[in-house]
Amino acid sequence: LIGFLFIFSLSIIVAAGMQMKEFSDNKRTETILDFGDSLKKEIDLASVVKNGYMREIYLPDKIDSSINYTIMTKNSTLIINTENYEFVAIITKTQGNLTKGFNTIKKVNNLVIIQND
């Protein structure tokens, strides 16, 4: 009886641990999606406003203070890579690349330009 209760308790603990890990992974994925969507919206906004638009944005070293990432724009595509996830979104053609730190997004002569500070 004691052995059965031990195995039963252990299986409940393992199942709870697996649920917590899945919840944590889903939360991290959602955080990365939100981060990528906000950057896509910034670039999309710059593409539809009038020439002369300028906005400075800051990209942190880590997403949500805990997720390491790399970012690049290539062939009208925004790509954010993390250890376990890749965010890809189609964006307006831009000149320049987003980098960690301060970035300025401008619209000059109907072209979206990204400059790093």
Side-chain angles (χ1 to χ4, degrees):
L1 183 61
I2 292 174
F4 173 75
L5 290 175
F6 177 74
I7 292 172
F8 181 73
S9 298
L10 187 61
S11 64
I12 288 176
I13 291 170
V14 168
M18 290 172 51
Q19 287 290 334
M20 290 297 291
K21 182 178 180 337
E22 184 178 331
F23 176 76
S24 176
D25 290 347
N26 289 343
K27 179 75 173 149
R28 290 172 68 90
T29 301
E30 185 178 314
T31 301
I32 296 163
L33 284 171
D34 289 344
F35 181 74
D37 284 339
S38 68
L39 293 177
K40 180 183 179 342
K41 287 178 185 175
E42 286 288 343
I43 294 169
D44 289 345
L45 175 64
S47 71
V48 297
V49 296
K50 293 183 179 183
N51 287 320
Y53 172 83
M54 183 176 80
R55 180 173 170 118
E56 186 173 86
I57 60 171
Y58 178 76
L59 301 183
D61 286 332
K62 295 182 179 184
I63 300 172
D64 202 29
S65 301
S66 63
I67 304 170
N68 288 319
Y69 70 100
T70 59
I71 187 168
M72 72 173 147
T73 54
K74 183 178 181 181
N75 298 330
S76 300
T77 306
L78 171 65
I79 303 167
I80 300 172
N81 284 307
T82 66
E83 184 177 331
N84 299 318
Y85 189 78
E86 181 177 68
F87 173 88
V88 179
I90 296 173
I91 58 172
T92 303
K93 185 171 173 74
T94 61
Q95 179 180 334
N97 260 321
L98 291 168
T99 60
K100 294 179 181 180
F102 288 98
N103 295 269
T104 303
I105 300 175
K106 300 179 183 182
K107 185 167 184 184
V108 179
N109 296 328
N110 295 319
L111 178 65
V112 176
I113 300 171
I114 301 170
Q115 295 176 325
N116 315 110
D117 298 333

